[in-house]
Amino acid sequence: GQLDEVVAYLRAARVAESQAVRAVTAGLDDRRRQRAAAERRLSELRERLNRVQVDGAEAQVRLEALVETVRRDLDCEVQATRDAPCPPLPPAATPAGRLRDLEREIRLMGPINPLALEEFAALQERQAFLEGQLEDVRSARRELGKVIRAVDAEIVDVFRAAYIDVAEHFERLFSTLFPGGQGRLRLTD
């Protein structure tokens, strides 16, 4: 009897102990899931914090660049630009919308070429040089045209004189070779 009671007691204690172990294991698993979820959330928050810090640093760099641009391009301090009146906006336009439109127009224009004025001056100089060269060529062409016309006139005169001489000699030679006959040269095109 007493042994059966001890065995029953031990069995009951074992069942209770097993149930307690299962409850602790279930609680431990639940805590592990909560911890994993908390670690994921912490990782997401750290990533978000990093993004916010990077965005903040980029915004600071852009702000410093804008301040420098205002000082360099507009030759004034930032406070003066803040105090300046806002330019009039087209009807039904918001400042943010107008800013987007202007930024889009600037992007469509393309990048600024800081050497454009120097290139333009060099191209103007080159154009003036080429126009001078072109005028020289035209002048030389006119002079060559005059020379060609003079040479052509001289060729015609020399040819005419040579033709007349040859024609006279031919007529004499023909009458000598063929007494009583007549021979004549005739010029055709």
Side-chain angles (χ1 to χ4, degrees), residues 48-64:
R48 207 164 148 201
L49 175 63
N50 285 339
R51 278 196 311 263
V52 167
Q53 288 173 339
V54 167
D55 290 347
E58 287 176 355
Q60 182 64 33
V61 168
R62 281 195 308 269
L63 177 62
E64 290 170 3

Side-chain angles (χ1 to χ4, degrees), residues 137-163:
V137 167
R138 287 179 179 155
S139 175
R141 185 175 177 189
R142 283 190 298 270
E143 292 301 316
L144 281 175
K146 290 177 185 176
V147 168
I148 289 171
R149 284 189 295 277
V151 167
D152 283 348
E154 180 140 348
I155 288 172
V156 168
D157 290 344
V158 168
F159 179 76
R160 185 177 304 122
Y163 177 76

Side-chain angles (χ1 to χ4, degrees), residues 89-102:
L89 295 173
T94 64
R98 181 68 178 140
L99 176 65
R100 280 192 308 274
D101 292 344
L102 292 173

Side-chain angles (χ1 to χ4, degrees), residues 1-15:
Q2 215 177 9
L3 195 55
D4 287 335
E5 285 177 20
V6 171
V7 170
Y9 172 76
L10 287 175
R11 282 188 181 151
R14 191 177 134 222
V15 167

Side-chain angles (χ1 to χ4, degrees), residues 80-127:
T81 61
R82 288 183 187 145
D83 297 339
C86 184
L89 295 173
T94 64
R98 181 68 178 140
L99 176 65
R100 280 192 308 274
D101 292 344
L102 292 173
E103 286 173 342
R104 183 179 56 77
E105 288 176 18
I106 289 172
R107 277 193 312 275
L108 290 174
M109 281 189 237
I112 295 173
N113 181 358
L115 303 175
L117 289 176
E118 293 171 16
E119 290 174 4
F120 179 69
L123 287 174
Q124 279 184 323
E125 186 178 315
R126 177 80 176 142
Q127 181 182 5

